[in-house]
């Protein structure tokens, strides 16, 4: 806004006011353009930074499993924004033991990504600090929870399931911190691995319990975030675990693991019409047959050679 005044009683002539108005409009346009250019530069910088973070700080870090892990795995993460708060990791512990973790931080974008990164860092610190052969899921979850409570506000929390697959004992030992329960699918039927516990980052002294389930060859372990279960269709119906089970029922033991994951993912996408209201993570594991060395059926008796003397 340009205010004009004059000492003269007669004030401004119409031509003078027209010039001033034109000048004000010109200056206003230049200022508006400068402000827009500054905002565009800030947006471009933020987008570049988020794209860089999304490439290095994604929650999906499956890596390469060692030969003695005893299972195959495929996973997929999709964030609503450039960065998200879902976590999906497999960490070899040695001697046929592998840590499996799937989590979902509250909120979206940068705020959720900050919480997820804090949990990832704490998890790595716990693993490096402890003896891998003696790690217990409840201790891992409890220590991550205490660390997260120290660096985040009360409204910044994260659900997380941490489990350890023991190839030698063929068991899955897990602790659940407020995360959707995984599904164990075996020979055409599935069961939810129930467990209870507060999400990480709410109470410093929260305690957690664990569960242990025996595993067999060709068992499927399916883990996911609530972005899969809460996908909603036009009739306001959620995909839920029933949708995961329905997709699993269409698979066969011999189907490649990538196809199993794709069938669940595509079914969820079709249910929601291709739109996502939350970050979405899906992890599918298939146990391998336990190849224990076997003794031969018949003992080999050394042949005796008679030596005659002449």
């Amino acid at each position: 806004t340009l205010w004009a005044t004059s000492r003269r009683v007669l004030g401004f002539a119409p031509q003078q006011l027209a010039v001033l108005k034109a000048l004000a409009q010109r200056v206003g346009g230049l200022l508006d353009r400068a402000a827009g250019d500054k905002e565009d530069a800030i947006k471009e910088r933020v987008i570049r930074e988020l794209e860089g973070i999304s490439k290095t700080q994604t929650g999906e870090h499956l890596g390469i499993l060692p030969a003695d892990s005893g299972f195959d795995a495929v996973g997929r993460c999709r964030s609503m924004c450039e960065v998200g708060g879902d976590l999906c990791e497999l960490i070899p512990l040695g001697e046929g033991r592998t840590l499996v973790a799937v989590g979902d931080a509250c909120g979206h974008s940068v705020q959720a990504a900050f919480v997820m990164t804090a949990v990832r860092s704490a998890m790595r610190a716990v693993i490096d600090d402890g003896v891998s052969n003696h790690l217990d899921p409840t201790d891992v979850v409890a220590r991550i929870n205490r660390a997260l409570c120290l660096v985040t506000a009360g409204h910044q929390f994260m659900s997380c399931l941490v489990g350890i697959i023991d190839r030698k004992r063929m068991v899955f030992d897990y602790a659940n911190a407020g995360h959707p329960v995984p599904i164990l699918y075996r020979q055409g039927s599935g069961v939810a691995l129930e467990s209870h516990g507060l999400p990480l980052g709410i109470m410093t002294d929260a305690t957690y319990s664990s569960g242990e389930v025996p595993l067999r060859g060709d068992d499927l372990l399916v883990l996911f975030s609530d972005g899969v279960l809460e996908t909603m269709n036009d009739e306001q119906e959620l995909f839920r675990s029933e949708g995961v089970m329905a997709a699993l029922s269409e698979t066969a033991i011999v189907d490649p693991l990538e196809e199993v994951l794709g069938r669940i993912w595509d079914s969820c996408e079709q249910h929601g019409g291709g739109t996502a209201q939350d970050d979405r993570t899906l992890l599918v594991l298939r146990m391998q047959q336990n190849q224990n060395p076997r003794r031969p059926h018949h003992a080999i008796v050394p042949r005796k050679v008679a030596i005659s003397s002449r």
Side-chain angles (χ1 to χ4, degrees), residues 42-106:
I42 294 175
K43 290 180 181 179
E44 291 178 0
R45 176 178 58 80
V46 172
I47 291 174
R48 287 196 305 269
E49 292 177 355
L50 289 176
E51 289 177 347
I53 294 174
S54 67
K55 295 177 181 178
T56 58
Q57 297 296 326
T58 176
E60 182 181 3
H61 287 267
L62 300 185
I64 300 176
L65 294 173
D68 66 344
S69 61
F71 63 93
D72 296 323
V74 291
R76 186 179 299 178
C77 292
R78 189 179 74 179
S79 301
M80 285 183 57
C81 308
E82 287 81 3
V83 293
D86 277 10
L87 172 73
C88 182
E89 287 209 17
L90 299 176
I91 305 175
L93 302 177
E95 298 188 5
R97 302 175 80 239
T98 306
L99 185 140
V100 181
V102 174
D104 180 12
C106 65

Side-chain angles (χ1 to χ4, degrees), residues 49-216:
E49 292 177 355
L50 289 176
E51 289 177 347
I53 294 174
S54 67
K55 295 177 181 178
T56 58
Q57 297 296 326
T58 176
E60 182 181 3
H61 287 267
L62 300 185
I64 300 176
L65 294 173
D68 66 344
S69 61
F71 63 93
D72 296 323
V74 291
R76 186 179 299 178
C77 292
R78 189 179 74 179
S79 301
M80 285 183 57
C81 308
E82 287 81 3
V83 293
D86 277 10
L87 172 73
C88 182
E89 287 209 17
L90 299 176
I91 305 175
L93 302 177
E95 298 188 5
R97 302 175 80 239
T98 306
L99 185 140
V100 181
V102 174
D104 180 12
C106 65
H108 303 288
S109 192
V110 177
Q111 175 180 327
F114 167 75
V115 178
M116 182 271 291
T117 303
V119 169
R120 281 189 63 215
S121 300
M123 184 181 302
R124 291 286 181 172
V126 170
I127 294 173
D128 291 342
D129 183 53
V131 179
S132 298
N133 295 336
H134 302 287
L135 275 178
D136 179 78
T138 55
D139 181 54
V140 174
V141 170
R143 293 177 64 181
I144 295 174
N145 174 66
R146 290 194 295 270
L148 191 63
C149 287
L150 294 175
V151 298
T152 59
H155 64 279
Q156 294 177 309
F157 55 88
M158 181 172 186
S159 69
C160 189
L161 185 141
V162 175
I164 295 178
I165 295 178
D166 192 323
R167 162 68 162 150
K168 295 181 178 179
R169 297 174 55 226
M170 284 295 283
V171 295
F172 179 55
D173 187 13
Y174 64 96
N176 195 338
H179 197 74
V181 296
I183 292 175
L184 174 62
Y185 193 77
R186 174 183 296 164
Q187 297 180 345
S189 62
V191 60
L193 304 183
E194 297 288 348
S195 59
H196 304 282
L198 284 175
L200 306 174
I202 295 180
M203 293 179 57
T204 306
D205 57 351
T207 58
Y208 299 92
S209 60
S210 65
E212 184 177 282
V213 293
L215 299 173
R216 303 176 187 172

